[in-house]
Amino acid sequence: AQKITQTQPGMFVQEKEAVTLDCTYDTSDQSYGLFWYKQPSSGEMIFLIYQGSYDEQNATEGRYSLNFQKARKSANLVISASQLGDSAMYFCAMRRPSGGYNKLIFGAGTRLAVHP
Amino acid sequence: DTGVSQNPRHKITKRGQNVTFRCDPISEHNRLYWYRQTLGQGPEFLTYFQNEAQLEKSRLLSDRFSAERPKGSFSTLEIQRTEQGDSAMYLCASSLVSGPSGNTIYFGEGSWLTVV
């Protein structure tokens, strides 16, 4: 069965430092997509970054980059130069081709706290 | 605001009452999704529409839950005879069928339901 594992319930980082949030996934599919979302206390799920399983380059979006290691089935999110506004829950998710790419499977999330 | 819009944002209801949530997706997004999120967990898939057709339903969607998207634009999620276990945040999301942006699923701010 497909599964997303985020082993860090909570992380702390000093402002302006980089932080890595871990995500491992389990799937037998060859084609899939990996996502990271940020969820502040307001509740909205904010899309951060996407990585396709066939993408050869690691995805980057501004201060966010995805360290994709396909053989290890990991898709860690790296946030560079942390800001106070980065404090939130972060969710890793996978979209499967089965069923037409219709659903995301989420991990349990990591709560990030950025300290000044 | 051109994002996914949900209302009401918060709803407190007595057990046994019916509630309805509305979702307005991003304009021209033909895919619409409903997810449920309980405290401390990642969102779980409930159902999915492509245009007005409901193409997939999770086993989480009991007979008391019904979702519609009558004209392929906005959607409603109704919960009949609410139970305390229905207390959660209900997230709506939308995406395009294909194209580079089709890889991205955009979420709304969610509708919090508390059943007392």
Side-chain angles (χ1 to χ4, degrees), chain B residues 40-60:
Chain B
Q41 301 294 321
E44 296 173 292
F45 172 81
L46 291 179
T47 189
Y48 147 77
F49 291 84
Q50 183 159 313
N51 300 312
E52 66 275 10
Q54 188 175 18
L55 298 185
E56 190 171 355
K57 293 170 63 173
S58 164
R59 296 175 189 174
L60 294 175

Side-chain angles (χ1 to χ4, degrees), chain A residues 35 37 39 102-104, chain B residues 9 33 35 37 56 103 105:
Chain A
F35 298 75
Y37 286 87
Q39 188 176 44
N102 299 332
K103 70 176 76 170
L104 292 174
Chain B
R9 292 292 318 282
Y33 313 78
Y35 285 79
Q37 185 178 20
E56 190 171 355
N103 289 323
I105 298 177

Side-chain angles (χ1 to χ4, degrees), chain B residues 12-28:
Chain B
I12 300 174
T13 190
K14 292 183 178 179
R15 188 166 49 123
Q17 297 294 307
N18 299 343
V19 297
T20 300
F21 299 112
R22 176 179 169 124
C23 172
D24 288 89
I26 294 173
S27 179
E28 298 180 354

